Amino acid sequence: MLDIKQIRLEPEKYRKGLSAKGSEEKLDELLTLDGERRSIVSEADQLKGLRNRVTEEIAALKKNKQSADEKIREMRQVGEKIKELDNKVKEIEEKLMDIVVILPNIPHESVKIGRSAEENEVVKFWGEKPAYDFPLKDHLEIGDSLGIIDFHRSSKISGAGFPMYVGAGAKLERSIINFMLDFHTQKHDYKEIFPPFLVNRDSAFGTGQLPKLEEDMYHTDEDDLFLIPTAEVPVTNIHRDEILQENKLPIKYTAYSGCFRREAGSYGKDTRGLSRVHQFNKVEMVRFTTPESSYIAHEELLQDAEEILQALKLHYRVVSLCSGDMSFAAAKCYDIEIWAPASQKYFEVSSVSNFEDFQARRANIRYRRNSDGKVGYVHTLNGSGVATPRLMIALLETYQTDEGKVLVPEALQSYTGFSLIKGENG
RNA sequence: GGAGAGGUGGCCGAGCGGCUGAAGGCAGCUGCCUGCUAAGCAGUUGUACGAGGAAUCGUACCCCGGGUUCGAAUCCCGGCCUCUCCGCCA
């Protein structure tokens, strides 16, 4: 959520920022409403001040057993006027909130202005596209022929987009998750969290999923809970409505969760196999920092995610998103895209974002500064470290052998207990 | 799901419809004092919105939302949450 006071002080900065994200049209209405609100609040405050003073006088008169009827009659009218003004304020504030909650964050100054993914910039390559001297199978053929991913039966059970891993495939998936959690907790000192997978409205609002992205989430009507699209939601909300001590910062959490996405509006895109699914596994990293250190933390977070792919020796590139391709809440975002040699494509496996104080405002996450004891909003960041389905695509396609089997990357072997997937089909 | 208890400041905890932004304690900060440590004495310490260059001032906030009243932490109604007991259950 943006700060109305800041918008009032620097309207042109926000006009520019919002237009870079393609949503500046509500700004003037917002400023008008804000002005109205302030003048009515001030009028109401004056009347309340009057009432408070006279009310004391009434109390004094009554104490002395004198008549206060005259003043009581006056205050009855003042009270009605106050109620009227308060109602007007409430009405305006509702309109104001309706606008503020759908305004996206504005991009950081280092972010390129652009309209869509075509204008993103590749900022880094790691490793190289591997070469093969035999015809490659894509991950679907591999999963099917080895019997380690069963899409046919899972669609019977749940529908399209709900992958089911079997035998060595299931073990591999679980090993990847454990490997990543251990990596982050042991190498980079993240604290492990195992969060709830269903969250309430306040939590979904806090990280920015609500109100704009409601239709992208699965919802349970009976209890009004949302299935989480990412562990970012519960983990960021751990500190909702809290004031943290500055010396507790930075806070670094990592969490495994199932992720559930309706993917409404993306029908027909990437529908094959594991590239776009309704349920998947992901290990997420979340950080809470001071405003001064969030951009350093952002670079570190990117590196923490990259190191997972480096440990697995998988070729990838890093993309810096342009303003128009960034998500609602982000001020700056890197995507990590992994190379899948049979599909001949880079797949996004991680999104590393700095939200600055945008989520902190929504979720009311603050910290008390050591220097002057004042409170301010923290900065929140998160990055996937990483999502498994597309990692699985790259892994199966990269490590396949000419016999149609799959080698297990060395870093995972102590988790899987095997070094070659020979398949479940005998 | 049924029955009961309760939600007050960083924490614990008191609170008669007006003198309560809120007693008292703990913790923190400042000063004094004591050779050190511990203790002691005095003072001080919430958040948000608005006005002003600033010191400061006004308003709101005792889980949330309504209501009664000249006036609500305190009374009434609705909701949420926590705890205890019973039931059900992996």
PDB file of all heavy atoms in Angstrom, chain A residues 204-215:
ATOM      1  N   ALA A 204      -4.011 -12.518   3.434  1.00  0.00           N
ATOM      2  CA  ALA A 204      -3.970 -12.414   1.975  1.00  0.00           C
ATOM      3  C   ALA A 204      -3.933 -10.954   1.537  1.00  0.00           C
ATOM      4  O   ALA A 204      -3.329 -10.606   0.525  1.00  0.00           O
ATOM      5  CB  ALA A 204      -5.175 -13.116   1.352  1.00  0.00           C
ATOM      6  N   PHE A 205      -4.536 -10.094   2.336  1.00  0.00           N
ATOM      7  CA  PHE A 205      -4.460  -8.665   2.044  1.00  0.00           C
ATOM      8  C   PHE A 205      -3.057  -8.144   2.337  1.00  0.00           C
ATOM      9  O   PHE A 205      -2.497  -7.349   1.582  1.00  0.00           O
ATOM     10  CB  PHE A 205      -5.488  -7.899   2.890  1.00  0.00           C
ATOM     11  CG  PHE A 205      -5.421  -6.409   2.692  1.00  0.00           C
ATOM     12  CD1 PHE A 205      -6.072  -5.815   1.621  1.00  0.00           C
ATOM     13  CD2 PHE A 205      -4.682  -5.611   3.554  1.00  0.00           C
ATOM     14  CE1 PHE A 205      -5.984  -4.442   1.414  1.00  0.00           C
ATOM     15  CE2 PHE A 205      -4.591  -4.234   3.351  1.00  0.00           C
ATOM     16  CZ  PHE A 205      -5.245  -3.655   2.272  1.00  0.00           C
ATOM     17  N   GLY A 206      -2.489  -8.606   3.422  1.00  0.00           N
ATOM     18  CA  GLY A 206      -1.200  -8.097   3.891  1.00  0.00           C
ATOM     19  C   GLY A 206      -0.095  -8.215   2.864  1.00  0.00           C
ATOM     20  O   GLY A 206       0.724  -7.313   2.717  1.00  0.00           O
ATOM     21  N   THR A 207      -0.043  -9.299   2.141  1.00  0.00           N
ATOM     22  CA  THR A 207       1.015  -9.470   1.160  1.00  0.00           C
ATOM     23  C   THR A 207       0.603  -8.973  -0.226  1.00  0.00           C
ATOM     24  O   THR A 207       1.411  -8.994  -1.144  1.00  0.00           O
ATOM     25  CB  THR A 207       1.460 -10.945   1.075  1.00  0.00           C
ATOM     26  OG1 THR A 207       0.318 -11.779   1.268  1.00  0.00           O
ATOM     27  CG2 THR A 207       2.478 -11.254   2.153  1.00  0.00           C
ATOM     28  N   GLY A 208      -0.653  -8.561  -0.379  1.00  0.00           N
ATOM     29  CA  GLY A 208      -1.057  -7.939  -1.637  1.00  0.00           C
ATOM     30  C   GLY A 208      -1.851  -8.819  -2.594  1.00  0.00           C
ATOM     31  O   GLY A 208      -2.147  -8.411  -3.710  1.00  0.00           O
ATOM     32  N   GLN A 209      -2.190 -10.030  -2.162  1.00  0.00           N
ATOM     33  CA  GLN A 209      -3.006 -10.897  -3.037  1.00  0.00           C
ATOM     34  C   GLN A 209      -4.423 -10.344  -3.142  1.00  0.00           C
ATOM     35  O   GLN A 209      -5.035 -10.387  -4.200  1.00  0.00           O
ATOM     36  CB  GLN A 209      -3.060 -12.330  -2.504  1.00  0.00           C
ATOM     37  CG  GLN A 209      -1.880 -13.187  -2.925  1.00  0.00           C
ATOM     38  CD  GLN A 209      -0.596 -12.776  -2.245  1.00  0.00           C
ATOM     39  OE1 GLN A 209      -0.601 -12.301  -1.124  1.00  0.00           O
ATOM     40  NE2 GLN A 209       0.515 -12.943  -2.935  1.00  0.00           N
ATOM     41  N   LEU A 210      -4.940  -9.850  -2.035  1.00  0.00           N
ATOM     42  CA  LEU A 210      -6.272  -9.245  -2.029  1.00  0.00           C
ATOM     43  C   LEU A 210      -6.117  -7.723  -2.072  1.00  0.00           C
ATOM     44  O   LEU A 210      -5.167  -7.200  -1.536  1.00  0.00           O
ATOM     45  CB  LEU A 210      -7.037  -9.643  -0.759  1.00  0.00           C
ATOM     46  CG  LEU A 210      -7.480 -11.093  -0.670  1.00  0.00           C
ATOM     47  CD1 LEU A 210      -8.232 -11.315   0.636  1.00  0.00           C
ATOM     48  CD2 LEU A 210      -8.351 -11.479  -1.832  1.00  0.00           C
ATOM     49  N   PRO A 211      -7.073  -7.005  -2.703  1.00  0.00           N
ATOM     50  CA  PRO A 211      -8.272  -7.563  -3.324  1.00  0.00           C
ATOM     51  C   PRO A 211      -8.104  -7.932  -4.794  1.00  0.00           C
ATOM     52  O   PRO A 211      -8.929  -8.631  -5.343  1.00  0.00           O
ATOM     53  CB  PRO A 211      -9.246  -6.379  -3.207  1.00  0.00           C
ATOM     54  CG  PRO A 211      -8.382  -5.166  -3.295  1.00  0.00           C
ATOM     55  CD  PRO A 211      -7.067  -5.546  -2.655  1.00  0.00           C
ATOM     56  N   LYS A 212      -6.981  -7.521  -5.409  1.00  0.00           N
ATOM     57  CA  LYS A 212      -6.905  -7.608  -6.873  1.00  0.00           C
ATOM     58  C   LYS A 212      -6.825  -9.029  -7.424  1.00  0.00           C
ATOM     59  O   LYS A 212      -7.325  -9.324  -8.493  1.00  0.00           O
ATOM     60  CB  LYS A 212      -5.679  -6.823  -7.366  1.00  0.00           C
ATOM     61  CG  LYS A 212      -5.990  -5.381  -7.742  1.00  0.00           C
ATOM     62  CD  LYS A 212      -4.873  -4.796  -8.550  1.00  0.00           C
ATOM     63  CE  LYS A 212      -5.393  -4.091  -9.791  1.00  0.00           C
ATOM     64  NZ  LYS A 212      -4.322  -3.360 -10.486  1.00  0.00           N
ATOM     65  N   LEU A 213      -6.150  -9.912  -6.672  1.00  0.00           N
ATOM     66  CA  LEU A 213      -5.845 -11.221  -7.241  1.00  0.00           C
ATOM     67  C   LEU A 213      -6.690 -12.333  -6.628  1.00  0.00           C
ATOM     68  O   LEU A 213      -6.312 -13.491  -6.641  1.00  0.00           O
ATOM     69  CB  LEU A 213      -4.356 -11.524  -7.032  1.00  0.00           C
ATOM     70  CG  LEU A 213      -3.417 -10.426  -7.558  1.00  0.00           C
ATOM     71  CD1 LEU A 213      -1.987 -10.678  -7.135  1.00  0.00           C
ATOM     72  CD2 LEU A 213      -3.510 -10.329  -9.069  1.00  0.00           C
ATOM     73  N   GLU A 214      -7.841 -11.953  -6.096  1.00  0.00           N
ATOM     74  CA  GLU A 214      -8.674 -12.934  -5.403  1.00  0.00           C
ATOM     75  C   GLU A 214      -9.013 -14.126  -6.275  1.00  0.00           C
ATOM     76  O   GLU A 214      -9.018 -15.270  -5.819  1.00  0.00           O
ATOM     77  CB  GLU A 214      -9.960 -12.266  -4.889  1.00  0.00           C
ATOM     78  CG  GLU A 214     -10.879 -13.232  -4.165  1.00  0.00           C
ATOM     79  CD  GLU A 214     -11.813 -12.549  -3.166  1.00  0.00           C
ATOM     80  OE1 GLU A 214     -11.792 -11.312  -3.065  1.00  0.00           O
ATOM     81  OE2 GLU A 214     -12.545 -13.292  -2.494  1.00  0.00           O
ATOM     82  N   GLU A 215      -9.274 -13.871  -7.538  1.00  0.00           N
ATOM     83  CA  GLU A 215      -9.717 -14.969  -8.410  1.00  0.00           C
ATOM     84  C   GLU A 215      -8.592 -15.945  -8.751  1.00  0.00           C
ATOM     85  O   GLU A 215      -8.839 -17.010  -9.303  1.00  0.00           O
ATOM     86  CB  GLU A 215     -10.330 -14.414  -9.699  1.00  0.00           C
ATOM     87  CG  GLU A 215      -9.356 -13.576 -10.499  1.00  0.00           C
ATOM     88  CD  GLU A 215      -9.949 -13.145 -11.847  1.00  0.00           C
ATOM     89  OE1 GLU A 215     -11.178 -13.216 -12.024  1.00  0.00           O
ATOM     90  OE2 GLU A 215      -9.152 -12.754 -12.717  1.00  0.00           O
TER      91      GLU A 215
END
